[in-house]
Amino acid sequence: GMGALPQRRSRICGPNRLKAVVCRGKRLQLPIFPLSMVALPAAEVPLIIFEARYRVLFNTLLHGEPDVEDGLVQRESPFCGTKQFGMCYVDKQNRLAAIGTVLNISTFANFPDGKLVVNSKGGDRFEIKKVVKEKPVLVCEVELLSDEDPEEDASPEATALAKEVADLLRATIQLNVRLNNISVPDEELEPDDLANLSVRDTSFFVASFFSDIKLLQQNLLEENNTVKRLEREKEILKDTVAHYTATSALKSALEPGTGSGKDDPDNIRSGTPADVIRKLNAALLAAQGEEDGAKQVDGSVKKVEGDEKVEEKKDGQAEEGGGSSPGGDSVKDVPDKE
């Protein structure tokens, strides 16, 4: 099974292990997992790990838990048993974004064929400051980032904006379901935890639904102001709702009394909520354009090896993670490793 991990520390890990809990603004070293998807704070990130060096890394991170492959654990690693790593987006040119998200492993399962399924949740954002080493996995010194104005996040205006954006997300999902004649119970259309999130976490959670446009997600991740992040999401979702409402009205007019979409080859006849969410904004978000370049890591990690056998897990199905190519050339300079 994949039960929640107990909150305990192994006593067997070596003396070099880092403390996983640190303050924002502080620097720490993290193993960095480069992948063609954007991990966001407050959002779940499911992964399937195949490649040997990453199986070693993740079994080391999970040391002290039941069902870990002990033969793969590096007990002297500073990351032994921390259950924490960083993820950064890699574009189609293998350029690594400098700003990523700290992920905390929540559940995992080892399979007899060597596959490791890991579910993690996004925590703090970070910026890569220095490359410590590249082999066998990338390790960087990172600085944890905090949002620009935490007091503004607590204001009644920000709270109201977060609620408005959450309601727009719900409306987008419901309209998409209706438009595509997908049969899903209403309670399954409510995204998990959406009602209970803070203003900041709502802004990132909503961004996790824009996975068709990776650069948009990366730009939202790099935005330091929660209210500005929510304002951009409001604009996108209002356009999406308007698009779906107009399309739905047109469809009803063209097909009086049926609304079946029989002649529409792209009509989705059935699907899970995850299917709905994945296709949610593809056409409309594409129209938003990719005008902003993500901040890039330069130097020795500008090119990331393309042999990682890692896949993003979506709704029980493994598939190759896709990526969007950043349109800008802004580059983040990272000092050479010492």
Side-chain angles (χ1 to χ4, degrees), residues 3 15 33 38 55 77 80 101 115 135 193 219 233 236-237 247 254 292-293 297 315 320 322 333:
F33 192 71
V38 179
R55 286 174 54 214
S77 165
C80 181
T101 299
K115 266 193 311 194
K135 303 285 184 183
D193 300 330
N219 289 337
E233 291 165 349
I236 292 164
L237 288 170
T247 306
L254 291 173
D292 302 317
V297 172
D315 198 36
E320 294 294 339
D333 291 320

Side-chain angles (χ1 to χ4, degrees), residues 246-302:
T247 306
S248 185
L250 181 65
K251 188 173 177 181
S252 298
L254 291 173
E255 301 172 10
T258 63
S260 64
K262 285 176 186 170
D263 299 324
D264 180 2
D266 298 320
N267 187 35
I268 305 164
R269 302 294 298 169
S270 62
T272 65
D275 294 328
V276 174
I277 288 159
R278 273 208 301 282
K279 300 179 192 316
L280 199 55
N281 293 310
L284 204 73
L285 287 177
Q288 296 287 326
E290 298 187 357
E291 67 279 1
D292 302 317
K295 187 180 279 190
Q296 303 292 328
V297 172
D298 196 12
S300 55
V301 286
K302 187 171 181 183

